[in-house]
Amino acid sequence: MSAVLFIALSLAASGACAAVSWRHPAQVAAATGGDLTALARSLRALPVEARLAELARRSPPGSWEHRLANELLSAAGPRARVAATNDLLVEIEQRLDVGAGWPRAAARLSALVALLLATLAFLAKAGPSVVALVLGAGAAGAIASAAAGRAGRAAASRKREAIDALVDAVLGPLDAAARAPSASPRRPRRGSASASR
């Protein structure tokens, strides 16, 4: 096996691992239709009774927040609204979690492939510069994958905070029965949603 092939294989594996890893932050960004924090802030300036209709009008069709508005507009009473919100919160949490493990796995794979190729290059007497290039490419892929993991976790955390703000803005004040702990719209993500997985 030629020295060029060792380097090319290491670069290809490293690039593939990085590309797969960066899909997670992209999926997190695409989980909702826009800037939910700004949307929640602008909705709070409106009367509570006008917020859902405005959310439906301003959110992209088919987006999670558009579905939230439609579900809440068609719900019959506060308890039904909380139940619909809970279902949608469970769904969005699952979407934010999809692919969260890819960057960690890709970082390990990039490092392992580089080690394997470096060992083969050493046994084939390809020279120390080839071994160093192969290991460097693998390290670059592992670092890029780890960075994607950090970016994905940070983006998911910001997205969850924005979703909380939007839900608080559109639900407004509910009666005490509807805000019972078992029906709280915040519980599914932090409590019952995680338990249901």
Side-chain angles (χ1 to χ4, degrees):
M1 201 180 284
S2 73
V4 173
L5 186 54
F6 283 120
I7 296 168
L9 287 173
S10 187
L11 286 170
S14 175
C17 288
V20 166
S21 297
W22 281 99
R23 287 188 63 195
H24 179 240
Q27 285 180 330
V28 169
T32 59
D35 185 352
L36 298 189
T37 302
L39 183 56
R41 195 177 306 122
S42 64
L43 289 175
R44 286 185 188 280
L46 300 174
V48 172
E49 60 276 6
R51 293 177 186 175
L52 283 173
E54 184 65 12
L55 176 61
R57 187 185 71 78
R58 292 178 53 183
S59 54
S63 65
W64 180 84
E65 55 270 29
H66 192 261
R67 290 179 52 221
L68 175 69
N70 289 337
E71 291 282 336
L72 296 184
L73 283 168
S74 63
R79 283 187 180 275
R81 284 184 174 185
V82 170
T85 303
N86 282 344
D87 290 343
L88 287 168
L89 286 174
V90 170
E91 177 190 306
I92 195 68
E93 182 65 21
Q94 289 170 344
R95 287 175 66 185
L96 293 176
D97 282 346
V98 168
W102 295 348
R104 184 179 294 118
R108 285 195 206 112
L109 182 61
S110 182
L112 287 173
V113 169
L115 284 172
L116 174 63
L117 289 172
T119 301
L120 291 175
F122 176 78
L123 293 174
K125 301 189 186 329
S129 60
V130 173
V131 172
L133 286 171
V134 167
L135 289 174
I143 290 168
S145 297
R150 286 191 299 273
R153 287 190 298 274
S157 177
R158 289 191 302 272
K159 187 73 75 173
R160 288 180 180 106
E161 290 173 6
I163 288 167
D164 279 348
L166 182 67
V167 168
D168 285 346
V170 296
L171 280 181
L174 297 176
D175 62 38
R179 284 251 190 223
S182 61
S184 169
R186 289 175 165 274
R187 277 184 74 85
R189 229 172 18 78
R190 300 199 174 95
S192 58
S194 58
S196 66
R197 287 193 213 121

